Amino acid sequence: MDAEHVGDDIVEILFTEEQIQARIAEMAAQIEADYEGKDLLIVGVLRGAIMVIADLARSLGRHVEIDWMAVSSYGSGTKSSGVVRILKDLDTDIAGRHVLIVDEIIDTGLTLSWLLANLTSRGPASVEIATLLRKPEAVQMPIDVKYVGWDIPNEFVVGYGLDYRERYRNLRDIGTLAPHVYS
């Protein structure tokens, strides 16, 4: 879906589809170099990371396994509640594996901090984090993120997997959602 299909719901386009694809290719090149000779398992955080994972995996010039977790701390709101629930756990045993958690955005860091601790307790060889977007001003729980696409202001953004009440995920660009939509 193009931005023109959502009318005045988007205040500003932050990143175009072309910019997103170029940045993901750069991140993929770094990931490939860092995991040379290592068996890599990518763990996607559903649902928002679907677009990022699909394009990241296609940008890698190597075999990679993908598994998914669904965790929630938002419900249908716009702010994290800080209470994390596992909605879907991994199907793969990660003991001894090199794991790369991939998410579309890091907001408060509360959910990802919890997920990092949870996965680390399962005995992987390593666990790192990659995210397309990070909101440094919103961070309440600092976490070490190895791969970051962009740091963005603390605004409500949608598109490329990011949603508001399950809408806008299929928007090709990433943009700031107009307050009249969620107020």
Side-chain angles (χ1 to χ4, degrees):
M1 175 170 65
D2 295 320
E4 63 205 34
H5 294 111
V6 295
D8 64 350
D9 290 1
I10 303 298
V11 175
E12 174 187 10
I13 298 295
L14 298 176
F15 305 105
T16 65
E17 180 179 17
E18 294 76 20
Q19 290 172 309
I20 295 166
Q21 294 303 316
R23 185 65 186 119
I24 285 179
E26 292 170 359
M27 291 171 68
Q30 186 61 54
I31 290 166
E32 237 177 294
D34 291 348
Y35 287 94
E36 180 69 34
K38 296 177 182 172
D39 187 30
L40 179 62
L41 172 66
I42 293 177
V43 172
V45 182
L46 290 171
R47 297 179 192 146
I50 289 174
M51 307 295 187
V52 178
I53 295 269
D55 289 337
L56 180 66
R58 286 189 294 243
S59 294
L60 293 169
R62 57 174 292 167
H63 293 289
V64 66
E65 287 184 57
I66 300 172
D67 201 348
W68 301 94
M69 283 191 81
V71 295
S72 177
S73 66
Y74 283 82
S76 62
T78 61
K79 295 190 184 311
S80 175
S81 69
V83 177
V84 180
R85 296 181 314 137
I86 294 179
L87 305 175
K88 187 230 175 275
D89 206 345
L90 295 174
D91 295 323
T92 307
D93 179 4
I94 64 170
R97 304 284 308 269
H98 294 282
V99 176
L100 179 63
I101 302 169
V102 178
D103 206 354
E104 80 282 9
I105 191 166
I106 297 175
D107 199 335
T108 62
L110 295 171
T111 302
L112 211 47
S113 173
W114 181 90
L115 183 58
L116 181 62
N118 180 285
L119 293 182
T120 300
S121 75
R122 300 180 192 197
S126 68
V127 180
E128 298 290 350
I129 299 170
T131 187
L132 185 61
L133 304 173
R134 178 175 58 185
K135 295 181 180 180
E137 297 167 16
V139 171
Q140 295 176 23
M141 178 67 68
I143 51 175
D144 185 26
V145 182
K146 189 163 187 176
Y147 310 98
V148 178
W150 292 284
D151 284 332
I152 63 169
N154 190 15
E155 297 176 347
F156 198 90
V157 293
V158 294
Y160 196 73
L162 295 151
D163 75 299
Y164 173 65
R165 294 190 173 172
E166 296 304 321
R167 298 184 64 183
Y168 308 99
R169 283 193 199 279
N170 61 326
L171 183 63
R172 288 182 170 91
D173 305 321
I174 295 173
T176 306
L177 190 63
H180 75 266
V181 176
Y182 59 88
S183 301

